[in-house]
Every structure is written in C-alpha cells, then in structure tokens.
Amino acid sequence: MVRLPGRTGTRSTSRPRGQRLEQTPGPARRARERAERSRAADGRSTGVRAALRGRTVAGQVFALQVVIVLLLVLAAVGALVLQVQHDSTEEARNRSLAVAETFANAPGTRAALAAPDPTAVLQPRAEAARMAAHVDFIVVMNTDGIRYTHPIPNRIGKKFVGTIEPAVRGGTVVEEIHGTIGELVQAVVPVKAPDGTVVGLVSAGITTQSVGGLAERQLPVVLGAAAAGLALATAGTALVSRRLRRQTHGLGPGEMTRMYEHHDAVLHSVREGVIIVGDDGELLLANDEAHRLLDLPPDAEKRRVPDLGLAPDIADLLASGRVATDEVHLVGDRLLAINQRPTDLEGGPSGSVATLRDSTELRALSGRAEVARERLSLLYDAGMGVGTTLDVTRTAEELAQVAVPRFADFVTVDLYDAVLRGEDPHPGDALRRTAYGGIRDDAPLYPLGRQIRFVPSSPQADSLRTRRPVLEPRLEAAPGWLAQDPERTGQVVQYGIHSLITVPVRAGSVVLGLVNFWRSEKAEPFDAEELALAEELVARAAVSIDNARRYTREHGMAVTLQRSLLPRSLPEQSALDIAYRYLPAQAGVGGDWFDVLPLSGARVALVVGDVVGHGLHAAATMGRLRTAVHNFSALDLPPDELLGLLDELVGRIDQDETDDGSGAPVIGATCLYAIYDPVSRRCAMARAGHPPPAVIRPGGEVVFADVPAGPPLGLGGLPFETVELEIAEGSRLVLYTDGLVEDRERDIDTGLEELRDALATAGESPEETCQAVLDTRQPFRPGDDIALLVARTRALGGDRVAEWDVPADPAAVADVRAAVGRRLAEWRLEELTFTTELILSELVTNAIRYGSTPIQVRVLRERALICEVFDSSSTSPHLRYATTTDEGGRGLFLVAQLAERWGTRYTPTGKVIWAEQPLP
C-alpha cells in the first residue's frame, strides 16, 4: 500500500484487469485540488524561511553549505598565497633561463666574444634585450666570470657573483640568491663554439617581486566569489526544497521508503535477469532471476565480475560495459539473450545495466532455421554444380557428388540405356547404374555399369510406376526391398545402411531413371522433410540430365550426318599409301573433312578442310564444299585455281543464306589442296587459311612445307599461290586440321612443335604414324574436330613410262603406232595394241592438225593403260556427232568409245588429252 500526499486513506495499487483508473469529478476532488494549490502558494512564500531556519532537510543542507563555503574560502586564500609564491619563483626561473639561452644563442654573440672589445658590442645588445624581456639584468662574461656587460656600467670588468662552474663545463645553472636588488633568480648558460667548446657565459636574472603581485589581484576575486556562493547557496537551497516537494508530489521519507520496497519487490519478481555493474567492474545489483540464470553466489554483490566464476565470454561482456543488443551466449544448458546499455547516457551514474532473457526455447527454432539454410545451400550448389557439361553420365556423377555427404551417405543414379544413347526411354526396360557416390567405396550396392531390373515389390519399382518419390525409413523392416536380391540386400543392411529415399528422374511426362539416397552414419532415418528435399534436388538435376540426353541425340545425329558425308572408303590408286583418322568434337560436331581424289595421269589429289563452327549447319556446309571439290577436281585444275573457285562458292553460299535469313552464314572455312604426280615425284600445293602440311622424309626428318597461307575461303579479293615440291619416294605427307595442333590451352606454335616431336618418333607406315600422333596429341575430350591424313609416296618407275617426241608431220603417226606396239609387247599387253594404236592415231592426228608444236606422246602402265598427247595449244577439242556427209569429226567419238575415260588437262604451257583403258 502506498500513501499519497493529500489523501486521508490508502489506495490499493491493484485494479481489475482490463479497466483504466479515472478520477471522477466531485466535491472531494475539487477540495483536494484547492488544498494542493494552497500548499503550492504557501510553499512559494515560506520555502526560503523554512530553509533558513534549518527545521527541514533543506535548511540543514543550507547550514552545511555555509560552513563548507567558509572553509573553502579560507582554504582557497591559503592555497592562493602558496600557489602565487610557487608560481612567482617558477616563472622567474623559466624567464631567466629562457632569456639567457636566447641571448647566448643569438646571432653575433659568439663572434662578439672573440672581438677585441666585447663590451662595446655586447653592452648595447644586452641592455636592449633586458628591457625587451623585462628582466633585471643580462650579464655576458668570459669563462673566468669577468663581466663584459651589466646594467650598472661600473660593475663591468668585475667578478660575477654566482655559480658558474657547471656552465663552464657546458651545463646550465639556475639558482635563487639574495642579491643587492633583493630576492632573485638567475640562470647561467654557456656560449659554445661550433666544436662544443665553451667560449663564454651569459647570465640573466629577475627578482621574484617583479613577477609577483598576483595574490593582491586575485584575493578580492576570491572573497567576492565566496559572497556570491553564499548567496547562490541560499537561493539554491530554497529552489531545491521547492523542487523536491514538487518532484516527490509531497511524499515524505516514509512513503518514499515504501515505494522503494515496492520497486525492489518488482525487480526481484520479474522473469528477466537484471544486473547493474559499476564502472570499476563491481557488481552492484543482481535480481533473483539473474542469480538463477547465471548461478551466482549469494554474496555476488560488491564483488568484481571476473571473480564470480562466470564463463569468460559472459564475464568479458559484463565487465566491458559495451553496448550489446540480443547477444546470444550459452551458459550451461541455457541460451541467454543479453542486452546491455551504459547508465550514464543522460547524466546518470557511471556503469552499465544488463538484462538477461532465457531464450533456450528459441534454440530449437534456430536449429531448424540452420537446417533450412543448409538445405537451401545444398539446392543452390546443386543448381551451380550439376549440369556443367552436356554429358549424361557426367551430369549424373555431379548429382552424386553434390549430395554426398551433405544429404546422404551414399547416392546411386540408375538410368535407362536409351537415355545414355540420347533416345527416349521405354518403360519396362532394365536400368543401368550410371553414377555412384559415397563416403566409402566398399558399400555392397550394385556396382557401376550393372544392368538392374527391380522386382515389382521394391520401392524403386513403385517409384517408377507412380512417378512419385518413395521413403523407406527402415530397410531391415521393408520386405518389398529385401525381396529385390535377398543376398545383396542382407549385406547392405549388415553394412549399416538403414534408410532409403528413391526418387524418379522426371522430364515432363517421361521418366529417365531413378536416384537412390542411402543413409548409414546417422541413426535417425530419413523423414518427410528430407523426402521433399530429395524430390526438389532430383527435379533440378533432371532438367540437366534431360538436356544432356537431348544433346546426345542431336550430337549423334550430327556425327552420323558428318560421317555419311566423309569418304567411307578410299579410292583405288597406286601413287600413295594412305591412312586417316577422324575424331568428332565432344562439344559438338564440326565441319572438318578430308578426301582422296584420283586424277588423270596416275596423279592423286589430297584435300583437307575445316568449316568453322559446330552442329548440323557446319556438317551440311562441309558436305557442300566436299561435293564442290569433287566437281572442281574433275576439271584437272591447278590447286590455286581450284581454291579460287571454292572461295567464290563460299561467298555465294554466304550471300544466299544471308538474303534468305533462314540459315547461318559460313563464318569461316579453310582448305589445303595438294596434287601428287608419281611420275615426276612432284607435289603441287595451295592452302586457304589452313595449317601447313608436314613432310616426313625417308630418313625421319620432319619439316613443315613452306606453302604461302592464303586467306580463308569466303573472304575473296586475294589470289592463292601454288607451290611445287619435289618429294623423295617413301616420304610421308601429313595433312591435318587445326583441332590437332590448337586449343584453348595452347597456341598453334606450341602445337606444331609437339606435332613435329610426335611425327619424328612415329613408325614408318601411315597407320603407325596416325596412331602415334593421336596417342601423343589427342586430348581426353577434344574441343574441336580432328581430321588427320597421312600419305606415303610412291614413284612410277621408268620401266612403266614411255615417251616420244612427235614432229608436226602426219607421216609421224605411223611411227608412233609402231613404237607403241613394240612397248606394249614388252609390257605383255598385246591385247590392247589395236585399240591403243587407234586411240593414239586419232589424238596425235588432232594435235598435228589443230595444235602447236612441240608435240609429245606419253604412255603409262599403272592400274590402267594411260595414253597422253601433249601440245602447246590451249584449244580444247569437243566431242560431237558427225553427219553422214561429213568427211571428219569422228575421231574423239571413236576415242570415247574405245577408252574407259578420257579428258583434257591444261598445263601452263599447253594442254594434255588423255585416255585410259583398263588392263586385261
């Protein structure tokens, strides 16, 4: 119960819940208000008198203040006198020393001491400095103490009165003496030469009287302040008395004591710990809840916080007094949230107050929040780490790596074989174990690559059938799963795997396989929340697996298309022994191709090309370019002319697809075209932006042919250049695409050097060379297509070649027929004598009649019998049908009927008309 001023009774501090206390207006309330106003008016008139009479606490305080003020005034006067004396002496010492040092170090002082008459120079300066510095004297003397200057001139030349020995030794002397002018302080300082030698002394002195007089000036101020203090004390006491009555609402000491008791009861009954710590780290107050939460000893108050045996972090926080807001600390088995604030923020006493709230119940909630955070982190990492490649198997392996050990101890991924091939799966087919991840490698689960058929009672079969995830919390009590493979499932349970979640890998309405999550380390089985997490994890991975499956299908189609466009077998020819390799890129099929084209005269053309880019468009463009090369090579064009026509074709393709807008333009294509002649052993080459070919000589030396690098196909504007090389029999020509020598990790120069080293150690056959190059240079996952063509040269010997020069005389035709007949007899080809003589007769006759000299005939015995007639004319004959009345025009018709193939080949100096007959 609290007694309020102006009230005749007591009032309970409790009230019904939900009600507000309101004063009802009435006579009693109005009477109380009038009494309070009267007391306030009386207080204003009697407050000062009551305070002065000392009958109240305020009056007693006033009397005490008067005594204190008087004592303070007496103490201040005494201290002032002593302080003035001390300050006067200290001021005299400082001023005399400063003046002496300043004059001693002044410019010209040391030089004046060395002058013939130091007094004449120094006396005026010393007097001027003395008056400016307000000292009594400045005396300059030699090291023996003989004065050069003095305020009284008749004392110049006499002995200085004072101690100078320390100054002669380089020190400083400050002393108090009683001189002829009274009590004074004088300082003696040396004047030093640059080498440190003392060459003279300077003394300055001042009487303490000169710096005194402060007490006389300050004493009236002190007395006036004392009088003002008494007046202020009187007024302040009255104001304090009045203010206390107003702030306490007229409460007396007893009533305030009871109020304190109520506050103390509230403080110790609340369910929140309260601790007040002084600025020196002493515990001033701790309520009952704080004692309970911190397990404080009964005598904790008035002891320092570090001595209470608290945990180091709690003790450091309470002793530091720093601001803390909901800091969580573990104390025993309790989790405390601590708030701390300083108590002197608004003029209060120094120290800090801390409140402690038991938040142990929030610990479980924070634990669940941490679990949720870890699961979100797992899903995020799965989104970033699964699906980094477009490989189905690698994507499944990434899923297993992400889930172990953060979610499960073992993870297995089983997919349909059709998915691995990029095809649509067929329900009911067996699954294949594609990926495995675990904290150990010795788990008795099905191994990688194992084809699995799940029994209908197994959770895996149930998941495939319902397309929903299935949870088996206790495997040892799951008869459907145990029936899958009793021997193996028993080993799994014995191994310690006790819980399973199986989730179907769904891509829309298609099920691609299963993911199994196994637990062995934690004793708790998987729960429903973890089932939802597993479903979300697999759902994210399923998108990547399906993308990889679709890419595998598209990649397979592109590879099939590209391989169908490449030569399936090499044509028969005798000029070169050839081996080749083609490797498609893992990231997408490119446009690399190669070809071997037999030409007339036993020659063979080799071509290697590369269309920049990947995918079906690059493969289709490659097929168009390969077809064009086939057609252009049938014209027996030199390499530079063929590349020029190919360049125009690529430009037209780009223009057509750009105008159409339905396809992508060819952003770049390169090509190398070479023609090898086994008769002359010469090889003509030209390249359009392609890497240079390598030549392995019979001795094993590897060189890169110096073929001018023309621009890539499609740029136009610059001609190509053909280079002819003479190649020894048994040499190997190596043609390749840039995927063999260049990638993101190395430039082409490094790749060419590595290729040179691989070719230098390769075997002699083309097959051995191809294999050695790929074993050394092939990356694990090539980023670009690789096409490699190795051709070992042969030479057509002189015993298989016959040549004749023919004069421009029709009679020479008979000689040619006779010579050819004899050579065919030597070659045992008598069966071809008639047709060969007829063919040569017509060709030589045409050359004599319509061509120009010189005229030459060459017959080659290779895989066919080849007849060639050369003349220097560039006019080409045309096959036509002669009418019945024509006397000529049937020669080429007869040649076309008798020969298997025939044609015209242009040379820089003319043309060659050739015809081939199969050997019997």
Side-chain angles (χ1 to χ4, degrees), residues 423-438:
E423 303 171 0
D424 293 332
H426 301 287
D429 290 351
L431 284 81
R432 188 173 300 277
R433 180 132 298 174
T434 307
Y436 167 86

Side-chain angles (χ1 to χ4, degrees), residues 719-752:
F720 301 97
E721 185 176 351
T722 298
V723 173
E724 285 197 5
L725 304 176
E726 184 172 352
I727 300 178
E729 184 178 5
S731 300
R732 281 165 289 171
L733 289 172
V734 181
L735 282 67
Y736 52 90
T737 56
D738 59 354
L740 186 67
V741 295
E742 187 178 15
D743 56 31
R744 296 179 180 177
E745 297 180 358
R746 62 176 181 271
D747 57 18
I748 190 170
D749 294 333
T750 302
L752 290 176

Side-chain angles (χ1 to χ4, degrees), residues 458-481:
S458 66
Q460 289 87 349
D462 187 22
S463 180
L464 290 174
R465 182 173 55 257
T466 62
R467 300 182 180 181
R468 300 293 301 169
V470 175
L471 168 64
E472 283 291 351
R474 298 292 180 186
L475 291 178
E476 68 275 8
W481 176 77

Side-chain angles (χ1 to χ4, degrees), residues 446-754:
Y446 285 126
L448 285 174
R450 172 73 176 268
Q451 198 172 42
I452 306 172
R453 287 187 179 275
F454 294 103
V455 298
S457 63
S458 66
Q460 289 87 349
D462 187 22
S463 180
L464 290 174
R465 182 173 55 257
T466 62
R467 300 182 180 181
R468 300 293 301 169
V470 175
L471 168 64
E472 283 291 351
R474 298 292 180 186
L475 291 178
E476 68 275 8
W481 176 77
L482 293 172
Q484 170 66 32
D485 186 347
E487 181 179 358
R488 184 176 292 274
T489 54
Q491 294 174 355
V492 171
V493 173
Q494 186 178 2
Y495 184 80
I497 299 176
H498 59 82
S499 188
L500 164 67
I501 292 178
T502 180
V503 183
V505 181
R506 293 180 302 169
S509 60
V510 179
V511 177
L512 307 178
L514 287 171
V515 180
N516 303 295
F517 301 94
W518 313 83
R519 174 170 288 179
S520 65
E521 295 297 309
K522 294 183 179 179
E524 300 82 5
F526 287 117
D527 54 25
E529 293 183 358
E530 291 170 322
L531 178 67
L533 176 61
E535 184 177 13
E536 177 67 20
L537 184 63
V538 174
R540 298 193 178 198
V543 176
S544 300
I545 292 177
D546 187 53
N547 289 339
R549 176 185 70 90
R550 294 173 182 272
Y551 171 78
T552 301
R553 179 178 59 193
E554 298 296 332
H555 183 266
M557 294 172 57
V559 170
T560 301
L561 172 62
Q562 187 173 32
R563 291 192 180 277
S564 67
L565 297 176
L566 292 173
R568 300 185 180 182
S569 61
L570 297 180
E572 295 183 357
Q573 46 82 32
S574 302
L576 299 169
D577 291 331
I578 295 177
Y580 65 91
R581 294 290 188 276
Y582 173 75
L583 296 177
Q586 292 292 331
V589 175
D592 293 13
W593 92 92
F594 65 92
D595 222 330
V596 179
L597 306 172
L599 302 178
S600 62
R603 297 170 306 130
V604 177
L606 303 176
V607 58
V608 174
D610 182 9
V611 176
V612 177
H614 296 86
L616 294 176
H617 178 73
T621 303
M622 176 270 291
R624 298 170 72 177
L625 296 181
R626 180 171 177 257
T627 302
V629 172
H630 267 268
N631 295 331
F632 293 151
S633 65
L635 301 176
D636 261 333
L637 298 175
D640 56 340
E641 295 184 16
L642 185 141
L643 291 181
L645 295 176
L646 206 60
D647 179 67
E648 295 180 3
L649 174 64
V650 172
R652 288 195 299 272
I653 293 175
D654 284 349
Q655 183 178 0
D656 294 343
E657 295 194 352
T658 301
D659 295 340
D660 181 49
S662 60
V666 182
I667 60 174
T670 65
C671 183
L672 171 65
Y673 189 79
I675 299 176
Y676 175 70
D677 188 349
V679 178
S680 63
R681 293 182 291 106
R682 299 187 67 83
C683 183
M685 304 180 186
R687 62 187 178 117
H690 203 80
V695 179
I696 308 176
R697 294 172 179 170
E701 179 184 3
V702 180
V703 295
F704 288 99
D706 187 12
V707 181
L713 299 176
L715 297 183
L718 295 176
F720 301 97
E721 185 176 351
T722 298
V723 173
E724 285 197 5
L725 304 176
E726 184 172 352
I727 300 178
E729 184 178 5
S731 300
R732 281 165 289 171
L733 289 172
V734 181
L735 282 67
Y736 52 90
T737 56
D738 59 354
L740 186 67
V741 295
E742 187 178 15
D743 56 31
R744 296 179 180 177
E745 297 180 358
R746 62 176 181 271
D747 57 18
I748 190 170
D749 294 333
T750 302
L752 290 176
E753 289 301 320
E754 294 179 359

Side-chain angles (χ1 to χ4, degrees), residues 212-510:
L214 184 61
E216 292 79 358
R217 294 192 298 269
Q218 293 184 351
L219 185 58
V221 177
V222 173
L223 296 177
L230 288 174
L232 290 175
T234 303
T237 301
L239 293 175
V240 168
S241 176
R242 181 179 171 187
R243 185 178 183 86
L244 283 174
R245 292 176 63 84
R246 185 172 63 252
Q247 289 182 345
T248 59
H249 302 285
L251 293 177
E255 294 171 331
M256 293 187 67
T257 300
R258 286 193 297 273
M259 182 177 291
Y260 167 77
E261 291 175 351
H262 283 141
H263 289 172
D264 187 67
V266 172
L267 180 66
H268 290 281
S269 64
V270 295
R271 301 301 297 170
E272 186 170 291
V274 178
I275 286 180
I276 300 178
V277 181
D279 58 349
D280 57 351
E282 181 181 348
L283 179 62
L284 302 180
L285 182 144
N287 67 350
D288 295 342
E289 183 69 6
H291 275 268
R292 184 184 71 85
L293 295 177
L294 297 180
D295 196 18
L296 295 175
D299 59 344
E301 283 80 359
K302 304 303 180 182
R303 293 174 57 182
R304 290 178 54 79
V305 172
D307 302 332
L308 298 178
L310 301 176
D313 55 340
I314 299 290
D316 293 341
L317 174 61
L318 297 178
S320 66
R322 62 179 175 84
V323 175
T325 302
D326 288 335
E327 282 195 15
V328 179
H329 293 266
L330 184 63
V331 180
D333 58 348
R334 296 186 182 95
L335 206 62
L336 302 183
I338 301 177
N339 292 272
Q340 183 167 267
R341 295 291 185 276
T343 58
D344 56 355
L345 293 179
E346 297 181 359
S350 60
S352 62
V353 58
T355 60
L356 299 87
R357 186 173 63 256
D358 190 356
S359 59
T360 306
E361 298 177 356
L362 299 177
R363 189 173 183 179
L365 294 177
S366 64
R368 288 196 291 271
E370 179 64 20
V371 171
R373 187 196 65 80
E374 292 178 354
R375 292 178 178 177
L376 288 176
S377 176
L378 175 63
L379 292 176
Y380 174 79
D381 292 342
M384 298 297 294
V386 178
T388 59
T389 67
L390 290 173
D391 183 82
V392 176
T393 302
R394 179 56 185 165
T395 303
E397 292 172 351
E398 290 172 345
L399 172 60
Q401 292 173 0
V402 168
V404 175
R406 298 168 62 180
F407 178 70
D409 299 319
F410 300 93
V411 174
T412 57
V413 182
D414 306 325
L415 301 176
Y416 289 106
D417 285 336
V419 174
L420 299 177
R421 297 191 301 267
E423 303 171 0
D424 293 332
H426 301 287
D429 290 351
L431 284 81
R432 188 173 300 277
R433 180 132 298 174
T434 307
Y436 167 86
I439 57 176
R440 292 183 295 274
D441 297 331
D442 57 346
L445 300 170
Y446 285 126
L448 285 174
R450 172 73 176 268
Q451 198 172 42
I452 306 172
R453 287 187 179 275
F454 294 103
V455 298
S457 63
S458 66
Q460 289 87 349
D462 187 22
S463 180
L464 290 174
R465 182 173 55 257
T466 62
R467 300 182 180 181
R468 300 293 301 169
V470 175
L471 168 64
E472 283 291 351
R474 298 292 180 186
L475 291 178
E476 68 275 8
W481 176 77
L482 293 172
Q484 170 66 32
D485 186 347
E487 181 179 358
R488 184 176 292 274
T489 54
Q491 294 174 355
V492 171
V493 173
Q494 186 178 2
Y495 184 80
I497 299 176
H498 59 82
S499 188
L500 164 67
I501 292 178
T502 180
V503 183
V505 181
R506 293 180 302 169
S509 60
V510 179

